[in-house]
Amino acid sequence: MLNNNLTLQWERCLEIIKDNLPAEQYDAWFVPIVPISYEHDVLTLKVPSQFYIEQIEERYLNLLSHTLKRAFGEKVQLAYKFNVVNNAPDSEVTLREDGLNTRLRHGNPGVSNQPAVNPFTRVEYADIDPQLNPRYSFENYCGSMSNKLAVSIGMAIASNLDCKTYNPMFIFGPTGVGKTHLIQAIGIRIKENNPRARVLYLTARLFENQYTTAVNQNKVPDFINFYQSIDVLLLDDIQEFAGKIKTQNTFFHIFNHLHQHQKQLIMTSDCPPADLDGMVPRLISRFKWGITVKLDKPDLELRREVLAMRAAQDGLPIEQEVIDYIAANVTESVRELEGIVVSLLAHATMLDRDITVDLARSVIANSVHINKRQVTFEMIAEVVADHYNIDTDQLYGKSRKREISDARQLLMYFAKKETQLSSTNIGLRLARNHATVLHACKQIEQRLSVEKDFRNEVAEIEAAFH
């Protein structure tokens, strides 16, 4: 008799709700709900996922509050049952919504900002494939000053998953600087330290494709429920969400749930959060909640280390002078450096050639088409000053010391050769006239024609800003 009464009472609720909602909303959010029991003023409902609970509270609390009170009385309280793992009855849990019940008792239709109290202490999830590449470990990740901060924070997260100081972690930088390798290295170390942790790596584009499939198959709640069960979400190239508002809104709910439940989020992008175009503001604001860190283009030290490690992994004998030459001339990304090593290995194997500077020069020129960065006057000044171990300000001064005078002449020579500045403009930047610039260029050209060591020195400096 109790079950019959419960059915009748719930049907009465549904009639009221149906009269107050568009048909599509009613069908999406209330038809799938099944009443389980009503005992001691507690109504227990079976729902497809925890996402349903959040959506009902956020969208329909006022309507639900008045309807339940009319059908079950003023003291009614709610509990939910749902399967944490879809279609796995043994993963069923019960959630008693204290936050919602407080609002039901006091008739407050507002939405609380406090997380719901979870009465169960442990939920067992089925293990998942983290989609991590074992090659992308910290052991295979080269470090230098250009990525030291990002690596240090990543290791801190991986060594203590309970610490949420850096949650979320947002890593940005240009293509090929090691963002994907770093976040996968964090995931691998977390799995090593916490084998039961549900770690998942994926690209934003794959997330978008999965979401589109879920929409087409009417499985969006299952999609969201799955991602809300992740302990560590590693999302690559999040700029791919630009302009995809529905995907962003769905990820917004997932982000909120994971962050609220102390789960770690790590994301990468080609630009900082503030520069993300086509992204909803509320999502951008959440990207800034934790730590934002930049991965710069690899410096000379890192480029050398990457080349040496990759050559050793491939069993490629390579002299230090070859490594130095490549590192000086391939400056944009780690990915380009690795491509050079692959090309060298192919040439050495197929053509039975030794790895020399000449072969490296040929590979750089023909196999990997490298776009040289734009050279500016300030860039030249910095490189020249660094080479001579002097302050950049000294180049702009009046000192006639030999090393400063030589450095200043080289700055004029390179500025004339590498930039679009006229002799007059170069002179103005150094408080000199155009005749001084022309004289300096002539002096350098004369030395280049007769001094071999000086030619090598100039070539080394030139390679540093190309």
Side-chain angles (χ1 to χ4, degrees):
M1 180 64 66
L2 181 60
N3 287 336
N4 289 336
N5 288 339
L6 173 59
T7 300
L8 292 173
Q9 287 173 290
W10 180 245
E11 287 179 352
R12 183 185 175 194
C13 289
L14 291 181
E15 289 175 0
I16 299 172
I17 293 171
K18 188 174 183 179
D19 286 341
N20 287 274
L21 288 180
E24 60 273 13
Q25 293 185 27
Y26 171 80
D27 291 341
W29 298 108
F30 289 94
V31 170
I33 298 176
V34 178
I36 299 297
S37 64
Y38 179 55
E39 298 177 350
H40 308 295
D41 296 323
V42 177
L43 172 64
T44 302
L45 303 176
K46 181 67 178 291
V47 295
S49 69
Q50 187 165 348
F51 175 67
Y52 263 74
I53 303 171
E54 296 171 2
Q55 292 299 304
I56 290 170
E57 288 190 27
E58 182 176 334
R59 299 183 180 196
Y60 309 111
L61 178 62
N62 191 27
L63 174 61
L64 185 62
S65 172
H66 290 296
T67 302
L68 291 179
K69 287 178 180 178
R70 287 178 63 180
F72 292 92
E74 291 290 330
K75 296 181 179 181
V76 63
Q77 297 185 46
L78 271 178
Y80 300 97
K81 286 186 180 292
F82 60 94
N83 295 340
V84 175
V85 180
N86 190 34
N87 297 324
D90 58 348
S91 69
E92 184 180 79
V93 296
T94 300
L95 178 60
R96 179 74 170 269
E97 283 287 15
D98 290 348
L100 175 60
N101 290 327
T102 298
R103 297 193 297 278
L104 286 175
R105 286 196 300 273
H106 292 88
N108 180 5
V111 178
S112 171
N113 292 322
Q114 298 299 319
V117 178
N118 191 337
F120 44 72
T121 59
R122 183 178 183 83
V123 177
E124 295 292 338
Y125 295 95
D127 199 11
I128 59 172
D129 183 352
Q131 302 295 317
L132 297 169
N133 186 336
R135 289 192 60 180
Y136 288 161
S137 64
F138 277 121
E139 288 72 20
N140 292 332
Y141 196 83
C142 299
S144 74
M145 291 304 298
S146 64
N147 60 18
K148 183 177 181 180
L149 177 61
V151 173
S152 298
I153 293 173
M155 286 185 169
I157 292 172
S159 62
N160 184 10
L161 198 54
D162 292 331
C163 178
K164 293 299 184 287
T165 304
Y166 310 113
N167 191 28
M169 182 181 186
F170 192 100
I171 306 169
F172 73 95
T175 299
V177 295
K179 301 187 296 294
T180 296
H181 189 152
L182 178 58
I183 66 171
Q184 291 212 31
I186 297 171
I188 290 171
R189 183 64 57 83
I190 289 174
K191 286 294 287 185
E192 290 173 350
N193 295 335
N194 308 270
R196 298 185 66 86
R198 285 169 64 83
V199 178
L200 181 64
Y201 164 85
L202 79 162
T203 64
R205 180 166 296 181
L206 178 57
F207 182 96
E208 160 70 12
N209 291 340
Q210 292 176 349
Y211 172 70
T212 301
T213 301
V215 171
N216 293 335
Q217 297 179 355
N218 294 319
K219 292 184 177 180
V220 172
D222 290 340
F223 172 83
I224 294 176
N225 193 40
F226 168 77
Y227 276 100
Q228 288 182 340
S229 73
I230 301 300
D231 295 319
V232 181
L233 182 60
L234 312 168
L235 192 60
D236 214 355
D237 294 325
I238 202 162
Q239 74 276 359
E240 296 286 345
F241 282 173
K244 301 176 174 67
I245 303 303
K246 291 184 178 180
T247 302
Q248 291 179 40
N249 288 334
T250 300
F251 182 69
F252 173 82
H253 291 294
I254 293 170
F255 183 104
N256 279 351
H257 179 91
L258 294 179
H259 194 273
Q260 177 178 297
H261 289 81
Q262 300 295 300
K263 307 301 183 181
Q264 182 70 48
L265 295 110
I266 304 176
M267 296 160 288
T268 75
S269 173
D270 59 4
C271 62
D275 294 341
L276 283 169
D277 292 328
M279 203 76 72
V280 294
R282 63 177 182 171
L283 203 51
I284 292 177
S285 70
R286 279 156 176 76
F287 294 162
K288 301 176 183 178
W289 278 358
I291 182 75
T292 299
V293 61
K294 181 180 181 181
L295 276 185
D296 288 310
K297 292 180 180 179
D299 56 24
L300 183 61
E301 175 191 353
L302 179 57
R303 298 198 297 270
R304 285 172 173 161
E305 188 175 347
V306 168
L307 289 166
M309 175 180 286
R310 184 58 192 266
Q313 290 174 344
D314 292 340
L316 182 66
I318 185 169
E319 299 293 335
Q320 187 62 44
E321 65 173 345
V322 179
I323 289 178
D324 291 343
Y325 177 81
I326 299 172
N329 288 277
V330 183
T331 62
E332 291 300 301
S333 74
V334 172
R335 194 169 298 159
E336 287 180 344
L337 292 168
E338 293 178 337
I340 290 289
V341 175
V342 172
S343 296
L344 284 175
L345 178 61
H347 281 74
T349 302
M350 303 302 295
L351 303 178
D352 193 24
R353 294 181 59 181
D354 293 332
I355 305 298
T356 64
V357 171
D358 287 340
L359 179 59
R361 184 181 294 111
S362 176
V363 166
I364 291 173
N366 300 312
S367 299
V368 180
H369 300 288
I370 298 173
N371 296 321
K372 294 184 177 180
R373 57 180 172 172
Q374 183 179 2
V375 179
T376 65
F377 184 90
E378 291 74 18
M379 182 192 303
I380 296 171
E382 184 177 342
V383 171
V384 170
D386 185 63
H387 179 82
Y388 282 92
N389 197 26
I390 60 176
D391 290 334
T392 306
D393 292 343
Q394 292 179 281
L395 295 173
Y396 299 90
K398 298 181 179 181
S399 174
R400 294 181 178 272
K401 290 183 179 180
R402 178 62 184 272
E403 68 273 15
I404 297 176
S405 179
D406 287 350
R408 189 182 297 120
Q409 286 192 341
L410 267 178
L411 170 56
M412 296 178 188
Y413 168 79
F414 281 127
K416 185 67 175 174
K417 178 182 178 182
E418 300 288 345
T419 73
Q420 301 297 317
L421 295 174
S422 65
S423 299
T424 300
N425 283 332
I426 294 171
L428 287 173
R429 289 170 181 256
L430 295 168
R432 268 79 176 171
N433 58 39
H434 78 282
T436 303
V437 176
L438 294 176
H439 175 72
C441 294
K442 186 176 181 180
Q443 289 290 105
I444 296 297
E445 289 169 354
Q446 287 178 348
R447 293 185 63 186
L448 288 172
S449 66
V450 295
E451 299 180 30
K452 180 179 179 180
D453 290 343
F454 185 64
R455 284 201 302 272
N456 293 335
E457 183 178 355
V458 171
E460 181 181 347
I461 296 173
E462 189 171 7
F465 51 75
H466 276 302

